[in-house]
């Protein structure tokens, strides 16, 4: 895994190698220029001491400004190149990750939680970008400054250099030791932060029990304890964290003092000039940053590398469902067939030996209790999953032999859980089409899905934004929008996976009536809990624990007196109860208001949660 | 949704829409409220400020001592004005002083940072606890409106931002000002002319900082908005990946994402430019200031009006002069974030406790347990009635089952008796007293509630039964568990009653959790029992039997109101109340109601008999 992460790292690196190397060269150049001004300062001091003409001081001072300007330009350009390259890498990586994820099969997203993927695409990507950006920048800058400064110091005074360089490892070692301690304390604090969050979360989630048992005060006390421990650990961390800067200042101070003292003795004995002494102190100031930066650099690379490995996990995942190597280039008519299909999620078998055939233009309905495998069955047709055994065929050709694009274009699918995108309604309905949906198509699809009347109430009609920043649709509206979306695609095969569950029975029958018109030439497969949805299908399959328990037409199945007939009786009772609700609702309506629409007779009020929500 | 967003007051805000924190960096009213929490620590704050003053002095001292080393020791010795030995001894003396100052400075810096951290932590400990306390007493309707994740953000991250403000913001602003002041005073004392030359850099530096900060702020704002867009799009695409794939939208989705992503990259350009040029520009300004010092100082030294040490002291002080100015600009961001956080925290603290205790509560000496709904109407949201004119009385010791279809208002009855919500019309009476005239504590002490999804707290089995009530002895815990048939599974646990159960009780089965909740209810020996007993399909037959048996025993001899799911339960109660669309439509015994062939009859056919069949 590490080796592929390495190749990923170098891959992006080499693609922007020129920019990165240019940046590094520029920064190195800046570091080289940075060691020149101290020479000028030393010279100025010596000149002043020697009473040299003022002109030479002017020249040196202006020279200093010139070098500093050049340095600033080089450094600015260098930093820009490197940081920009890191942003480009981030941009490319983000695109590559999405592009890769789009090819992944559905099961992958069920195993990898979306939250986890998002964390990788945000936090880990940031850490990797920082590795390419500040990581590279700091490594270059720090190394170059270190090398050039020490070289210059050696030129000035070897003895002083050795003395101060002895301090360096002491400094680095003590920072390392403090850093380790800080890290440990920080982790302890983080753990307590976790406990604090957990305690709060538990309390807020269980607030009913807390209140029911008057546990507020004990809970406050318990939270107080966790809170106090958090404070204790935070202060504990501060005890070590607070050491870093004083220690840093002390070490630099001691180095300067050592230079002044030892250098002072040398100056008095004539081994070195005061100017050289000052020049040396200037180098010490240059060195203070690299001394602490090394810890920071290690940190950036460690985090960046760990993050890169987590991103690599995504890149390494292979799509289990992909285009065939030798695809069949064929138009789809719409005959759907399964032969001895067995399908399992992991070790749980959900479909056993399922076989059926729907001719092009035919209709099939699937009913059965929750967990009987209905959704899994229809999922196999557009290859959201692949069957382990048996064959799923369209027009007699195994679905795995179609290019995914051809297959999925031919299938209009309305999933059980409606997912709409935060785009205008128009785009949601036209989601499956390459070009924008013509107005008449849009109106037609909305009419079929019985969405058109709702749209009239929306603030901007079909241009109304869907989702949190627009209109929040009710469950029924969402389902109808999803139906419109599938119909607008003009598919050869239409699959409704329990897609009318939140739609009231009246609207449902209206939709079904219109769909029958649309589907005359097309194949339809309808999954439902409701008998009313499926009773007109050419064939009805009753699934039970993954097997086809019964099959036949509505009448034949009723006659059989099995599971289907049982379901039917139950639903009749339910409807009876609903009639009663209607009655009540009706009375209430009459009693409370009198603004019922005269033209449109509704057999029953929409259920709870189905009422049209106005613009938010 | 994947993550809990921290949307402030404005709606839920979506998972990846960040809080807008570009508010004011200083809000006097917020600041006063915040300072209120620091007031108890005034003494330590004063000490901290004194330490800062001393610290700023020790920071200015080294360059001045260095000046003396050069002017009094090295230069005269080199120039043979004093003997070498004298020079060396002066060098040693100043060196020792320098070292002493260094050490003092380090100690002061450490003590000060620690003290400030302590003040920040402790003050915010108080605020965090106050916030938690306030939340405990907010009504359930508040919790219905506010997702747990949002409350979590307030009590964790927002408070932490305030700690930052106290320990790194406010105090270090004083620190920066003190250092700046000390440096300026030192410069003026050393040489007024050179000081003025140095001060010339100040407007330049301030101008630069304002310019770059502004540039970065605009840029960061643009970046944040675009980053939120990219991440929201990404989140949505990943969540709806099956739709993307089914509708073969991959190329267009990628295209749109690329647009957003490119847009984000472009928004970064400004920030990159600012980030890469700011530091070099400041460095250059510093170099220019030094050059100006050498030009001016060199002239005056050559004129014999200034010593070389003074010039060098200035050269060193320039660094100390620049840092606080740059730091102060940095503080702006901390302040801004903290102001936004404090606004959110205080808004939460200002949420009124709409359900409170009455000023003159009625004391109930002895509770018999008669519950009466006196024409109660109730809505969670104004006008959307859940209960309408509900009127019934449950005698002391009577057991009543409430049945009805989903959404009939059954759960609300339980919530109302516990006074989780207040009714809009009518009254609820306990032994003839309006429950709003009782202390909530007193009311709830007499009520045992078993909820649908039994909540298990992190702790042990025993602590989950007695909760935090230490007056409930171990024996009583055991007796309660035994009474509700929970002892069997508890005895089988590795540590028995001391077995640690995790958050949300993940190691216990649903049935076991239910039994545990029964045990909890009985340990408190309430006069009134409320049971929410909805369908739990995942309970095995043996546990199911234990639950039924326990429930029967629990209800014996105390007023019991059960939202019943089990047929056995409704068959055993004294009376059944049938709710339909928020109204009481039928009451009577199981037998009577069946004969009536009304709503109950159909419900029975549908729910209970069907379950018996399945």
């Amino acid at each position: 895994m590490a080796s592929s992460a390495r190749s990923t790292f170098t891959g992006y690196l080499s693609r922007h190698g020129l920019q990165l190397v240019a940046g590094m060269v520029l920064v190195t150049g800046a570091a080289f220029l940075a060691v020149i001004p101290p020479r000028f300062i030393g010279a100025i001091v010596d000149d002043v001491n020697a009473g040299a003409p003022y002109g030479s001081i002017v020249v040196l001072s202006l020279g200093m400004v010139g070098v500093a300007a050049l340095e600033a330009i080089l450094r600015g350009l260098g930093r820009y190149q490197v940081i920009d390259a890191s942003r480009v890498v981030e941009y490319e990586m983000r695109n590559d990750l999405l592009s890769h994820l789009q090819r992944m099969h559905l099961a992958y997203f069920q195993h990898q939680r979306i939250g986890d993927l998002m964390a990788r695409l945000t936090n880990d990507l940031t850490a990797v970008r920082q590795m390419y950006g500040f990581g590279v920048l700091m490594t270059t800058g720090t190394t170059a400054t270190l090398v050039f400064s020490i070289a210059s110091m050696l030129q000035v005074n070897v003895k002083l250099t050795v003395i101060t360089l002895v301090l360096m490892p002491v400094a680095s070692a003590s920072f390392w030791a403090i850093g380790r301690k800080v890290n440990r304390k920080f982790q302890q604090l983080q753990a307590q932060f976790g406990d604090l969050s957990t305690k709060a979360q538990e309390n807020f989630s269980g607030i009913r029990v807390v209140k029911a048992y008057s546990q507020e005060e004990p809970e406050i006390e318990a939270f107080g304890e966790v809170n106090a421990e958090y404070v204790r650990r935070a202060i504990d961390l501060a005890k070590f964290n607070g050491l870093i800067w004083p220690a840093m200042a002390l070490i630099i101070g001691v180095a300067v003092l050592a230079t002044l003292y030892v250098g002072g003795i040398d100056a008095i004995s004539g081994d070195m000039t005061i100017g050289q002494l000052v020049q040396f102190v200037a180098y010490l100031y240059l060195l203070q940053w690299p001394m602490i930066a090394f810890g920071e650099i290690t940190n950036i690379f460690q985090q960046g590398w760990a993050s890169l490995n987590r991103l690599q996990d995504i890149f390494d995942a292979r799509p289990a469902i992909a285009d065939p190597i030798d695809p069949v280039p064929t138009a789809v008519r719409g005959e759907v067939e399964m032969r001895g299909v067995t399908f399992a999620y992991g070790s749980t078998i959900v479909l056993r030996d399922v076989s059926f055939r729907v001719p092009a233009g035919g209709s099939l309905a699937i009913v059965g209790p929750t967990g009987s495998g209905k959704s899994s069955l229809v999922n196999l047709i557009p290859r959201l999953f692949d069957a382990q055994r048996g064959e799923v065929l369209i027009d007699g050709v195994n679905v795995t032999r179609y290019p995914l694009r051809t297959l999925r274009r031919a299938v209009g699918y309305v999933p059980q859980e409606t997912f709409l995108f935060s785009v205008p309604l128009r785009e949601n309905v036209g989601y499956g089409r390459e070009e924008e949906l013509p107005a008449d198509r849009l109106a037609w699809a909305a009419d079929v899905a019985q969405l058109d009347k709702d749209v009239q109430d929306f603030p901007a009609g079909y241009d109304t934004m869907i989702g949190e920043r627009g209109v929040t649709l009710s469950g029924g509206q969402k389902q109808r929008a999803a139906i419109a979306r599938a119909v607008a695609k003009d598919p050869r095969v239409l699959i409704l996976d329990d897609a009318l569950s939140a739609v009231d029975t009246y609207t449902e029958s209206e939709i079904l009536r219109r769909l029958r018109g649309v589907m005359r030439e097309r194949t339809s497969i309808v999954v439902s809990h409701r008998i009313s949805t499926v009773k007109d299908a050419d064939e009805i399959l009753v699934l039970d624990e993954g097997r086809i328990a019964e099959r036949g037409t509505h009448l034949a199945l009723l006659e059989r007196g099995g599971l289907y007939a049982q379901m039917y009786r139950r639903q009749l009772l339910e409807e009876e109860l609903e009639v009663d609700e209607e009655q009540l609702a009706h009375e209430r309506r009459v009693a409370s208001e009198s603004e019922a629409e005269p033209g449109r007779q509704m057999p029953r009020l929409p259920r709870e949660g189905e009422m049209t929500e106005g613009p938010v | 949704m994947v993550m809990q967003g921290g949307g402030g007051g404005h709606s839920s805000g979506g998972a990846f829409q960040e809080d807008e924190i570009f508010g004011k960096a200083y809000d006097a009213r917020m600041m006063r409220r915040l300072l209120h929490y620091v007031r108890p620590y005034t003494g330590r704050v004063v000490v901290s400020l004194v330490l800062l003053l001393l610290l700023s002095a020790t920071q200015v001292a080294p360059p001045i001592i260095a000046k003396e080393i050069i002017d009094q020791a090295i230069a005269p010795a080199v120039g043979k004005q004093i003997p070498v030995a004298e020079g060396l001894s002066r060098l040693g003396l100043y060196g020792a002083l320098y070292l002493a100052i260094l050490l003092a400075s380090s100690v002061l810096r450490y003590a000060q940072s620690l003290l400030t951290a302590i003040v920040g932590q402790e003050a915010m400990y108080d605020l965090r606890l106050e916030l938690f306390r306030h939340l405990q007493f907010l009504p359930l309707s508040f919790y219905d409106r506010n997702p747990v994740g949002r409350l979590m953000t307030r009590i964790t991250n927002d408070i932490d931002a305030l700690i930052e403000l106290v320990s790194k913001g406010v105090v270090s602003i004083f620190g920066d000002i003190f250092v700046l002041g000390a440096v300026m005073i030192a410069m003026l004392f050393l040489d007024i002319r050179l000081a003025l030359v140095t001060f010339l850099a100040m407007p330049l530096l301030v101008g630069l900082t304002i310019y770059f900060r502004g540039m970065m702020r605009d840029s960061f704002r643009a970046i944040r908005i675009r980053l939120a867009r990219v991440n929201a799009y990404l989140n949505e695409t990943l969540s709806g990946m099956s739709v993307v794939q089914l509708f073969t939208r991959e190329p267009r989705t990628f295209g749109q994402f690329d647009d957003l992503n490119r847009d984000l990259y472009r928004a970064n350009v400004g920030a990159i430019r600012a980030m890469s040029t700011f530091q070099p520009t400041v460095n250059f300004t510093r170099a220019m200031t030094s050059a100006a010092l050498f030009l001016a100082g060199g002239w005056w030294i050559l004129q014999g009006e200034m010593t070389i040490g003074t010039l060098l002291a200035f050269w060193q002080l320039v660094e100390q002069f620049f840092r606080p100015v740059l730091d102060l600009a940095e503080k702006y961001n901390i302040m801004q974030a903290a102001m936004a956080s404090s606004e959110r925290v205080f808004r939460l603290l200002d949420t009124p406790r709409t359900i409170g205790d009455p000023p003159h509560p009625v004391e109930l000496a002895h509770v018999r347990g008669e519950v009466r709904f006196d024409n109660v109407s109730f809505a969670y949201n104004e006008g959307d009635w859940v209960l309408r004119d509900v009127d019934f009385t449950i005698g002391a010791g009577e057991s009543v089952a409430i049945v009805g279809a989903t959404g009939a208002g059954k759960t609300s009855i339980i919530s109302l008796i516990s006074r989780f919500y207040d009714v809009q019309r009518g009254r609820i009476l306990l032994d003839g007293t309006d429950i709003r005239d009782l202390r909530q504590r007193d009311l709830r002490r007499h009520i045992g509630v078993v909820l649908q999804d039994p909540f298990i707290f992190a702790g042990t089995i025993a602590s989950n039964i007695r909760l935090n009530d230490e007056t409930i002895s171990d024996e009583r815990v055991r007796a309660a568990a035994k009474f509700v048939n929970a002892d069997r599974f508890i005895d089988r646990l590795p540590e028995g009653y001391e077995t640690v159960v995790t958050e949300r009780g993940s190691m216990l089965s649903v049935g076991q959790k239910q039994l545990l909740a029964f045990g909890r209810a009985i340990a408190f020996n309430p006069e009134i029992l409320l049971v929410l007993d909805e369908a739990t399909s995942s309970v095995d037959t043996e546990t199911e039997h234990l639950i039924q048996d326990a429930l029967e025993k629990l209800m014996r001899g105390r007023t019991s109101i059960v939202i019943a799911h089990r047929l056995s339960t409704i068959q055993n109660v004294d009376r059944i109340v049938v709710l339909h669309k928020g109204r009481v439509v039928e009451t009577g015994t199981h037998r009577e109601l069946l004969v009536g062939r009304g709503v109950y009859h159909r419900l029975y056919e549908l729910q209970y008999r069907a379950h018996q069949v399945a």
Side-chain angles (χ1 to χ4, degrees), chain A residues 41 45 48 52 54 57-58 61 64-65 68-69 72 76 79-80 83-84 87-88 91 94-95 98-99 101-102 104 106 109 114-115 118 121-122 193 196-197 201-204 206-220 223-224 227-228 230-231 234-235 238-239 242 246 250 253-254 256-257 261 264-265 267-268 277-278 282 285 382 405 408-409 413 419 421-422 431-434 468 485 489 570 574 576-577 580-581 584 588, chain B residues 2 12 14 16 74 77-78 84 88 91-92 95 98-99 102 106 109-110 113-114 117-118 121 125 128-129 132-133 135-138 140 143 151-152 156-157 160 230-231 234-236 238-250 252-254 257-258 261-262 264-265 268-269 272 275-276 280 284 287 290-291 294-295 299 301-302 308 312 315-316 388 415 420 441 444 449 451 455 457-458 467-468 503 520-521 580-581 602 606 610:
Chain A
I41 294 172
V45 170
V48 167
Y54 185 62
I57 293 163
V58 173
S61 299
M64 214 169 93
V65 173
R79 285 170 70 108
Y80 184 87
I83 299 175
D84 183 62
R87 287 284 177 183
V88 176
Y91 158 79
R94 198 183 271 130
N95 267 357
L98 178 80
S99 163
L101 282 169
Q102 281 197 329
M104 291 308 293
L106 191 55
F109 295 96
I114 305 293
M118 279 307 293
L121 286 164
T122 50
F193 187 79
L196 187 84
S197 308
Q201 187 189 13
E202 184 185 85
N203 177 278
F204 299 151
I207 193 75
R208 271 174 172 273
V209 180
V210 170
K211 285 180 174 292
Y213 286 90
S214 298
Q215 292 295 309
E216 292 94 340
E217 291 297 340
E219 280 292 303
I220 291 166
F223 182 79
N227 192 8
Y230 179 75
V231 167
I235 293 173
K239 279 179 194 159
L250 187 64
V254 167
V256 172
L257 174 61
Y261 187 75
I265 294 171
I268 290 172
L277 187 59
V278 173
Y285 286 137
R405 226 172 145 64
R408 288 175 177 165
R409 285 210 164 172
Y413 190 105
F419 193 94
F421 293 88
S422 315
Y431 195 70
R433 298 174 61 101
E434 288 293 292
E468 279 171 353
R485 175 172 70 188
K489 202 177 141 181
R570 257 182 69 95
E574 258 174 46
E576 227 181 286
L577 202 68
D580 203 65
E581 283 175 27
L584 266 164
R588 209 183 309 150
Chain B
V2 237
S12 62
F16 287 96
I74 301 176
V78 171
V84 171
L88 286 179
L91 185 59
Y98 194 105
L99 186 63
L102 275 183
S106 297
R109 194 193 289 267
Y110 180 68
S113 79
L114 191 56
I118 291 174
Q121 287 291 341
Y125 164 88
R128 182 175 269 148
L129 201 57
F132 187 80
R133 169 176 289 278
L135 286 170
Q136 291 304 289
F137 296 104
L138 286 180
L140 267 187
Y143 286 90
L151 302 180
M152 300 266 300
T156 54
N157 299 340
D160 273 5
V230 163
N231 286 336
L234 205 49
N235 188 40
E236 188 169 88
L238 292 183
S239 308
M241 189 58 90
S242 61
V243 179
V244 173
Q245 293 183 345
L246 281 170
F247 286 81
T248 57
R249 277 285 285 227
E250 294 95 333
R252 277 179 74 187
T253 304
F254 181 78
F257 182 72
D258 182 51
N261 197 8
R262 195 180 296 269
L264 169 64
Y265 166 71
N268 267 302
V269 171
I272 301 174
M275 269 194 289
S276 45
F284 177 64
S290 300
F294 286 119
L295 269 178
W299 174 256
I301 293 172
L302 287 177
I308 189 93
L312 290 175
W315 172 62
Q316 284 179 295
R388 299 156 178 277
S415 297
F420 287 157
R441 265 191 93 75
R444 290 175 187 154
V449 187
L451 294 169
F455 195 86
F457 290 94
L467 293 178
N468 295 295
E503 189 198 4
R520 182 190 293 162
H580 199 75
K581 293 272 157 181
R602 283 198 294 276
L606 193 64

Side-chain angles (χ1 to χ4, degrees), chain A residues 382-395:
Chain A
R383 286 190 77 198
L384 285 179
F385 294 91
D386 276 346
Q388 277 87 355
R389 227 178 305 145
E391 282 184 297
V392 181
L393 309 158
I394 287 183
D395 297 343

Side-chain angles (χ1 to χ4, degrees), chain B residues 58-72:
Chain B
T58 61
Q59 277 176 284
V60 176
I64 297 172
I65 299 173
K67 161 190 150 42
E68 298 305 320
I69 288 179
I70 287 173
D71 283 350
Q72 304 298 324

Side-chain angles (χ1 to χ4, degrees), chain A residues 22-39 67-68 70-76 78-79 137-152 282-283 286-287 289-290, chain B residues 280 283:
Chain A
M24 285 160 78
V25 168
L26 286 165
V27 169
T28 309
F32 177 74
L33 290 176
V35 296
I36 297 176
R39 280 171 203 269
V67 172
L70 199 55
E71 184 214 327
I73 290 167
L74 290 192
R75 198 180 293 275
R79 285 170 70 108
L137 206 56
M138 281 169 69
T139 313
T140 316
T142 309
T143 315
T145 306
L146 205 64
V147 170
F148 293 136
S149 301
I150 291 174
S152 312
Y283 290 133
L286 279 181
L287 273 183
W289 171 236
Chain B
N283 286 348

